[in-house]
Amino acid sequence: MFMPKLTLAAFTACAIRSSLAQDDAPTMNIVDTAIAAGTFTGLTGLVTLAGLGGALSDENASLTVFAPNDEALAKLDNATVAKLTDPLWLPQLQQLLLSHVLVIGAFTSDMVIDGMDAPTASGESFTVNTDPIRINEDSVVIAADIMATNGVIHVIDNIIASQAVSQTIADLAVADDNLSTLVAALTAADLVGAISADGPITCLAPTNDAFAALPEGTVDSLLLPENVETLKDILLTHCISGNIVSSMVTSGPITTLSGNTIEAVVNDDGSITFDGATVITADVVASNGIAHVIDKVIVPTSDEAAATTVAPTTAAPTTEAAKDDTHDDGDDIDHSMDEVKDSPPSSAAMYGTAVATAAVSAGFAMLI
């Protein structure tokens, strides 16, 4: 028997509220509340796999969780599920889950302002609208204000889109005006498509100011067609095979995709440098790897002379042109990028293997 759409939605919301029935004073934390409901086996399995159970159970925290139920998670395609449950991609899983968590306290439905921007624990933000309450127009709240001892749960009917599953390193670079010179260089070297590939790859991304600090004329010289091999070598020296988050970096040499070696240094204050370039924004998680924004361009010794040879200036590729080429893999992409797939992952790329061995609830198995 078919039920009218609105009646079915109301019935579903009532059923969820019934399964989460509670006294005025909650007695369970967010994770235990979700487990008790019986309709979040997939979500609680992912939380366990990501090693986030402790953070979401913290009684000293005050959190708001937009929780996709099992029906919502079942909408994920098999390839995405397989990727997110592979320990190699643990940073992406964590980014996705934390994009469903607000750290601004227990944010109840009566506090929602239509069109408001809500920052999440992942560093991303989403837009909240009302009538009905929904996230980014895609995820509708079907049961609101489920109180827990450390926050509140709102049940949603779709996962919230995250850059961890939808945007590559190239996409994020093109969207950042502070990285426009890097994008122009990648375009000139025919490497934009390559850093849009599957990965995993870790990129050290120099800012516009980092490029501007090079000797006068260097950038213009590197962007000339006759210097493309030098440019490729420099750019590939900023790329490392693996999914390397900052917490996995240790002091010592690292071999890059150019074959050049750079020196990583983890300082006593926690700051990280690569060949003297300081990481100013760490752990930008993309669907195909990690980016760390740095304040200096790393120029291998073998390229220094060629990079500083000033040639007649020609117009550099524009940012708009770079945007048009973002998904153009091309036939002439340097073969060195094949190492992203062909070389064994570094130890840092296996970030979180121990966490991934944790037991996952039987209910989650239906998603694989």
Side-chain angles (χ1 to χ4, degrees):
M1 176 179 176
F2 290 97
M3 301 176 64
K5 185 174 182 180
L6 291 177
T7 303
L8 178 59
F11 175 81
T12 302
C14 290
I16 293 173
R17 284 187 175 278
S18 177
S19 68
L20 291 168
Q22 53 188 203
D23 298 326
D24 291 338
T27 59
M28 295 184 292
N29 61 48
I30 285 172
V31 173
D32 289 340
T33 300
I35 291 172
T39 55
F40 302 100
T41 53
L43 179 61
T44 55
L46 289 173
V47 166
T48 299
L49 194 63
L52 295 176
L56 295 177
S57 300
D58 184 359
E59 294 292 349
N60 294 317
S62 182
L63 307 172
T64 299
V65 175
F66 289 84
N69 59 19
D70 288 338
E71 289 184 4
L73 285 178
K75 297 175 185 178
L76 287 174
D77 62 85
N78 291 338
T80 298
V81 173
K83 178 177 178 177
L84 291 174
T85 54
D86 183 334
L88 187 63
W89 296 100
L90 181 58
Q92 282 70 24
L93 173 60
Q94 292 181 329
Q95 178 82 10
L96 175 63
L97 293 175
L98 292 175
S99 294
H100 290 71
V101 180
L102 304 184
V103 289
I104 56 176
F107 190 80
T108 54
S109 59
D110 59 343
M111 300 167 67
V112 175
I113 300 173
D114 190 50
M116 69 181 295
D117 187 66
T120 73
S122 71
E124 298 181 62
S125 62
F126 55 68
T127 301
V128 186
N129 292 106
T130 56
D131 299 324
I133 298 176
R134 58 200 185 279
I135 311 301
N136 292 342
E137 297 294 347
D138 296 319
S139 304
V140 176
V141 173
I142 56 177
D145 303 329
I146 311 302
M147 304 307 298
T149 54
N150 64 336
V152 62
I153 298 171
H154 303 298
V155 185
I156 54 177
D157 65 352
N158 281 300
I159 66 166
I160 297 171
S162 165
Q163 65 192 43
V165 295
S166 63
Q167 292 181 282
T168 66
I169 293 172
D171 292 329
L172 296 177
V174 169
D176 189 340
D177 290 340
N178 198 36
L179 299 178
S180 60
T181 306
L182 173 62
V183 173
L186 289 165
T187 302
D190 202 13
L191 290 176
V192 176
I195 65 166
S196 300
D198 291 343
I201 182 174
T202 297
C203 289
L204 309 176
T207 63
N208 292 348
D209 287 343
F211 279 99
L214 291 171
E216 185 178 355
T218 298
V219 174
D220 288 338
S221 176
L222 287 172
L223 294 177
L224 294 173
E226 56 264 35
N227 291 329
V228 66
E229 294 305 319
T230 297
L231 179 59
K232 282 186 178 182
D233 192 61
I234 291 172
L235 293 174
L236 290 174
T237 299
H238 291 75
C239 299
I240 307 161
S241 177
N243 219 2
I244 306 172
V245 294
S246 59
S247 62
M248 297 304 297
V249 178
T250 57
S251 296
I254 297 176
T255 300
T256 67
L257 291 183
S258 67
N260 295 314
T261 298
I262 60 176
E263 190 74 16
V265 176
V266 180
N267 299 296
D268 291 341
D269 62 0
S271 63
I272 298 172
T273 63
F274 295 94
D275 267 16
T278 300
V279 174
I280 56 177
T281 302
D283 303 330
V284 180
V285 181
S287 62
N288 65 336
I290 309 291
H292 304 293
V293 181
I294 57 176
D295 67 353
K296 176 184 173 183
V297 179
I298 301 170
V299 181
T301 302
S302 60
D303 292 325
E304 284 180 354
T308 56
T309 299
V310 180
T313 302
T314 59
T318 66
T319 302
E320 287 302 316
K323 290 181 180 180
D324 292 339
D325 288 343
T326 301
H327 297 289
D328 179 14
D329 290 340
D331 296 327
D332 299 321
I333 294 172
D334 193 280
H335 63 82
S336 299
M337 295 304 294
D338 292 337
E339 295 179 27
V340 177
K341 292 183 178 179
D342 296 339
S343 63
S346 64
S347 58
M350 295 309 295
Y351 168 60
T353 300
V355 174
T357 61
V360 180
S361 65
F364 177 65
M366 69 180 183
L367 298 175
I368 302 177

